[in-house]
Amino acid sequence: MNTLNQPVSALAGIGAQTANRLQKLGLCVIQDLIFHLPLRYEDRTRIYPIGSLRPGMTALISGTVEFIDVLPRGRKSLICRISDSTGFINLKFFHFSASQHNMLKPGTAISCFAEVRYGYAGLEMVHPEYKVIVDPNDCITETRLTPVYPLTEGLSQNVIRKAVKQALDLCKQFPELLTDWIPESILTQYHYPSLAEAIRTLHAPDESVSIEALQNGSVPALKRLAFEELLAHYLSLRITRNKTKAWQAPSFLVEATGTSSNNIATDHFIRSLPFKLTGAQQRVIAEIEADCRSQHPMMRLVQGDVGSGKTVVSAYAALLALTAGYQVAVMAPTELLAEQHKRNFSIWFEGFQTQVMYLTGQLKGNARKAVLEALEDGTAGIIIGTHALFQDSVNFHRLGLIIIDEQHRFGVHQRLALREKGQQDGIRPHQLVMTATPIPRTLAMLQYSDLDISIIDELPPGRKPIVTSVIPAERRAEVIDRIHGWVEKKKQVYWVCTLIEESEVLQCEAAEKTAERLTEALPNVRIALIHGRMKSAEKDAVMQAFKNHQLDLLVATTVIEVGVDVPNAGLMIIENPERLGLSQLHQLRGRVGRGNDDSYCLLMYQAPLSDTARHRLGVLRDSNDGFVIAEKDLELRGPGEVMGTRQTGQMHFKIADLARDADVLDIVQQVGDSFFTHSPQAIQPLCDRWLGASTEYSEV
């Protein structure tokens, strides 16, 4: 057995309790320690002049004690001022002993290490590590940068540093244990160090590597490991894609004769639409048709900005399945969005001989039983619903197409369960995934490289850009006046309440209070409230009333982010927009701008704004392009937040950062494809090293 695959408890000083704590960090075998890289580094290799210190720095300093004092106010605290030729700083101790007090007498030379911050009397260090200097050469405590590792409760830096050092010593003693699967020619071409050298550099950087270079990711050692990790993810998704191509799928299209049932149905469908399809929609439909002619399952992601017309494209795909005698399942993340799809599909398929049915967790008793029977005997052609679609009690007669909306909001097991429901006699259903969250190119390249991607990059004619303004909350009275004038013109308004807390209860309370205040301020305006804790029927009634213009102003939580289409609503106010990500704000804003008139979005923030928040809101004000906004969101917040709440099976990176390492992705794709021809033996070991058990989820 490879020594690196032995449990961490095989190392000296790692007992059962420490091994359990390490396991919480995902550190089970010795090799895991080698790839457990520092979060940051501390510089104890040089002494900083006190006059050069700035708040937020963590630094090693040396000076002489000027005076020492015990402050009696509140908790007793010990204050010690030290200085060098460039300036002074205060040291503060809330817990101290008599011996400490006696040791730090004026005139004593000491060295200290801690974070610098602002205090009442200038810069200070709180509870610094310190020692009395007898020999001036004793100040420098390290020859290399000190690594600071991610920890869990009960683990100290000391324990993890010792464990990592033992693992690295093993690699040094037995270099053959750590196989470098990247060919020498690739390392040379891209100026990457060997695996062993890269790992040594990152765990114990020498004087040639600066903290700044480690933080901004420009160190070749870091680039090399990020490259290998991204390569492993890419290879695992390519393996999945290759497996998918080996599966069988139903073929929806008979080769065209001008009078085939498919052609008659699709022509009728397009003619009956109350609008003309855009060129982009027609192009994506052609790509879907080509997939559906194949004997292999379609795995296609359709992405397009809010309002670009993805749903009607998915309805066209559903029609292809129906005319070939198959059922269609449409899964949406919320009941509100599922209800919207149910309304649209019912209208579009009104002239067709098929039943459009609806299934959510709220449906009970005989109504639920009737839907389940219709699915099982095949009388239901299209079933639209939430995660209730993949419950054990749901059985399909002949499922041929799965349409998943806002895919990243579903857990991996949910998507897998739905696909398995359609598997019959080795034939798997086609999958069409839709998202209105434009996915940055860098993220799509990796997160979705197992899917073919179609982009609807054209909005329907007549759509005007939404005019976006950023204003402080102090101008609330002006905004309320503006609503009054807007409603007098027979126009409608959204007022969106956001809260940073995850609690739905708190969000609803905030929305209720806002609705009360607005009702008081605008007595002649018809106001209603919608939030996530309302029953489905209540939400439906409010939305329908708003759509029918029986209401003027809708106060809502972010529950309206997707799925609501009211062309007469051309003004949106978003409170506290600084609390949301750019992509979510863009989604919300997309609820207006659906009519022919000018539309406006007011981002009403709480001052003061941080520089990052100001920058983010500026991006939204200056751009209506979802892809530009998504790229910026990735850069500012990272992939986990851009894609919504992280789900099991979504990519977790140990080292790589998709925003920082975007330049590496082009290389990854090119090198990854060559591995299947030139280095097939390296593929599985690379995936095992970086992904471990998570590779089992990549087939979703």
Side-chain angles (χ1 to χ4, degrees), residues 121 228 276 314 366 373 440 485 525 537 580 696:
E228 185 173 316
K276 191 173 182 297
S314 73
N366 288 336
E373 284 173 359
V525 174
L580 299 179
E696 67 191 81

Side-chain angles (χ1 to χ4, degrees), residues 495-516:
W495 187 295
V496 183
C497 301
T498 67
L499 261 187
I500 200 160
E501 290 90 348
E502 289 296 309
S503 163
E504 206 176 328
V505 179
L506 289 173
Q507 287 205 17
C508 299
E509 281 177 10
E512 281 163 2
K513 282 176 188 159
T514 302
E516 283 168 21

Side-chain angles (χ1 to χ4, degrees), residues 96-137:
F96 61 95
S97 62
S99 62
Q100 245 179 315
H101 185 275
N102 295 333
M103 188 192 296
L104 297 170
K105 52 182 182 285
T108 306
I110 65 169
S111 66
C112 308
F113 184 85
E115 185 180 345
V116 180
R117 69 181 203 184
Y118 273 124
Y120 289 116
L123 295 180
E124 66 181 22
M125 286 180 165
V126 178
H127 281 284
E129 295 174 36
Y130 72 93
K131 70 174 184 173
V132 173
I133 301 168
V134 180
D135 178 348
N137 295 323

Side-chain angles (χ1 to χ4, degrees), residues 419-620:
R419 192 189 65 196
E420 283 177 351
K421 281 192 173 296
Q423 190 169 332
Q424 288 181 338
D425 306 322
I427 290 179
R428 300 197 183 203
H430 294 287
Q431 268 196 38
L432 185 66
V433 170
M434 299 190 290
T435 180
T437 307
I439 299 160
R441 184 191 66 89
T442 46
L443 205 56
M445 234 164 137
L446 208 64
Q447 189 91 41
Y448 299 103
S449 60
D450 58 326
L451 299 172
D452 294 306
I453 296 178
S454 293
I455 297 175
I456 303 180
D457 52 5
E458 185 183 348
L459 288 176
R463 271 294 179 94
K464 294 181 179 178
I466 299 157
V467 179
T468 304
S469 305
V470 180
I471 59 168
E474 290 82 59
R475 292 176 60 188
R476 179 183 293 265
E478 285 177 50
V479 172
I480 290 172
D481 280 347
R482 184 169 176 177
I483 290 173
H484 199 274
W486 186 262
V487 170
E488 279 185 342
K489 293 180 195 168
K490 306 285 185 236
K491 299 295 184 92
Q492 290 166 279
V493 189
Y494 291 108
W495 187 295
V496 183
C497 301
T498 67
L499 261 187
I500 200 160
E501 290 90 348
E502 289 296 309
S503 163
E504 206 176 328
V505 179
L506 289 173
Q507 287 205 17
C508 299
E509 281 177 10
E512 281 163 2
K513 282 176 188 159
T514 302
E516 283 168 21
R517 285 199 295 267
L518 288 171
T519 303
E520 221 172 276
L522 297 162
N524 299 321
V525 174
R526 297 169 297 176
I527 297 173
L529 173 69
I530 189 166
H531 57 66
R533 288 174 65 80
M534 288 165 64
K535 289 183 177 164
S536 181
E538 289 177 278
K539 282 189 288 192
D540 199 22
V542 172
M543 277 317 310
Q544 212 51 52
F546 189 60
K547 199 164 187 171
N548 297 340
H549 202 170
Q550 293 159 337
L551 297 168
D552 303 307
L553 191 155
L554 184 64
V555 178
T557 58
T558 51
V559 72
I560 61 147
E561 180 186 344
V562 286
V564 187
D565 191 358
V566 182
N568 191 48
L571 173 62
M572 174 177 282
I573 295 98
I574 303 177
E575 277 201 272
N576 306 313
E578 67 276 13
R579 292 173 172 174
L580 299 179
L582 273 176
S583 293
Q584 192 177 11
L585 285 169
H586 180 61
Q587 288 272 17
L588 283 166
R589 177 173 64 176
R591 297 300 110 212
V592 295
R594 294 181 165 250
N596 297 322
D597 299 327
D598 289 334
S599 293
Y600 303 89
C601 178
L602 304 182
L603 305 174
M604 195 163 65
Y605 66 86
Q606 285 290 343
L609 275 182
S610 68
D611 288 345
T612 308
R614 191 178 300 281
H615 179 46
R616 278 175 38 231
L617 297 184
V619 169
L620 200 75

Side-chain angles (χ1 to χ4, degrees), residues 34-76:
I34 291 165
F35 291 95
H36 186 65
L37 292 189
L39 275 173
R40 57 188 174 85
Y41 301 86
E42 293 174 345
D43 188 357
R44 300 163 196 256
T45 66
R46 64 189 177 116
I47 294 169
Y48 283 81
I50 293 174
S52 71
L53 298 179
R54 296 287 176 271
M57 285 174 69
T58 301
L60 179 66
I61 59 172
S62 171
T64 305
V65 177
E66 283 187 8
F67 70 81
I68 185 165
D69 195 10
V70 175
L71 298 184
R73 293 187 298 275
R75 271 193 315 183
K76 272 190 175 181

Side-chain angles (χ1 to χ4, degrees), residues 204-220:
D206 62 23
E207 64 282 352
S208 68
V209 183
S210 72
I211 282 189
E212 292 72 30
L214 287 160
Q215 283 171 341
N216 65 29
S218 60
V219 178

